[in-house]
Amino acid sequence: MDLFIHQKKFRKFFEALESYKKCFSRFLKGYPTPKKAETNLQHALSGVLAALTDSELMTALEEAREQSPDTLSEEFLHSILQDFRDGTKVSKLELSLSNNFGFSKNAAMRIITELTVLEASHVSFEELPSRLEALHATMVKEVKVARELPRREKKKRKRDISRATWSGLLGVGTGVANAMAPPAFLFSFGFMAIGINQAGRDIIGEPSD
C-alpha cells in the first residue's frame, strides 16, 4: 500500500496514529516521567484528531462509506473475525495495511485473535473524533489508577488497558486505510467497529451502543 506515501491526507493521519501508539507505550511506562509522558501523549492525540478531521480525509472517508451497505449485521461482523482465522485474501490485505501505522502483521494478528463481536456495530466517521477523545481521557485516568495498585494487579490492569488501546488504534487505522480500496472498505469498516466497540468496553466499560 505505497499509495499512502503519495496521498498527503492519509500519510499525515497514519504518521499521527503511529506517533500516538509510541507515546502510549511510553505513557504506560511513565517514561521519561509520568507527567512528561502524559503531555506527550496529549500532544499526539491532538495530532491524530487534527489529521482525522481534515476536510479532504473526511470527504474521502464519507465517499467510501456511501458506496457500502448501510448496516453491519452481527453475522457479518462474526464473518470478519472468521476470515482472519481462515487467512482469506481480504484479511491478509488488512494485515498488510497495519504496517502503515506501526503494527507488524504478527502484532496485529495477536490483537485480532482476542477480539470479540459486541452487540452494537454502529461507528460513524462523524462521531469518531469524540469517541477517540473519550477513550483517551478514560484510558489516561485508568492508567493513573493502575499505577497505585499492588504489583500483580497493576501488571494485569495495564495489560488489559494496553490490549484495549491497541484494538481501538488497529480498528481506526484499518478503517481509514481502506477508503482507498472501496471493494474492501465494508470489511475494514466492520473491523473498525469491532475494534472501537471493544476498546470502549474494555477501557471505559461503556455499553456497545
Side-chain angles (χ1 to χ4, degrees):
M1 277 292 171
D2 293 334
L3 284 172
F4 294 127
I5 298 173
H6 306 293
Q7 294 278 344
K8 184 178 179 181
K9 56 182 175 289
F10 286 95
R11 187 176 70 248
K12 285 178 64 177
F13 176 73
F14 293 129
E15 288 173 350
L17 201 65
E18 185 170 8
S19 176
Y20 184 91
K21 179 178 178 290
K22 291 177 180 177
C23 287
F24 168 72
S25 294
R26 291 170 182 165
F27 174 66
L28 206 60
K29 298 173 183 176
Y31 178 83
T33 66
K35 185 175 181 180
K36 179 65 174 175
E38 183 177 350
T39 299
N40 291 342
L41 185 62
Q42 183 62 49
H43 181 72
L45 174 68
S46 296
V48 170
L49 296 178
L52 182 59
T53 54
D54 175 81
S55 58
E56 286 189 33
L57 180 59
M58 271 296 176
T59 297
L61 295 176
E62 291 301 339
E63 287 178 351
R65 181 69 182 108
E66 287 171 5
Q67 297 178 41
S68 303
D70 293 332
T71 59
L72 296 174
S73 68
E74 188 173 338
E75 181 180 3
F76 175 67
L77 295 180
H78 278 292
S79 75
I80 290 175
L81 296 184
Q82 186 61 49
D83 277 355
F84 279 110
R85 289 191 286 269
D86 294 343
T88 63
K89 184 176 180 179
V90 69
S91 71
K92 289 179 179 178
L93 170 63
E94 299 302 293
L95 290 176
S96 71
L97 295 174
S98 63
N99 187 55
N100 287 284
F101 40 92
F103 289 93
S104 68
K105 292 181 182 179
N106 288 338
M109 197 61 208
R110 283 195 298 272
I111 294 166
I112 292 167
T113 56
E114 296 188 13
L115 291 175
T116 56
V117 173
L118 306 177
E119 290 184 6
S121 60
H122 176 71
V123 176
S124 71
F125 286 116
E126 185 178 36
E127 72 176 13
L128 194 52
S130 61
R131 289 287 292 274
L132 291 178
E133 284 189 284
L135 287 169
H136 170 87
T138 307
M139 177 272 290
V140 168
K141 188 184 303 180
E142 289 298 315
V143 169
K144 290 179 178 179
V145 170
R147 287 175 180 155
E148 305 302 318
L149 295 173
R151 181 178 177 81
R152 182 176 296 180
E153 292 178 40
K154 175 170 62 177
K155 186 176 181 179
K156 181 181 183 304
R157 181 55 183 149
K158 282 188 174 183
R159 186 169 59 245
D160 290 344
I161 294 170
S162 180
R163 183 178 63 243
T165 302
W166 299 149
S167 299
L169 294 179
L170 184 61
V172 171
T174 303
V176 171
N178 260 343
M180 292 187 67
F185 183 69
L186 184 60
F187 186 97
S188 295
F189 190 74
F191 181 65
M192 183 178 76
I194 293 170
I196 286 292
N197 283 327
Q198 178 141 342
R201 182 196 66 182
D202 293 347
I203 296 178
I204 297 180
E206 66 180 9
S208 43
D209 51 292

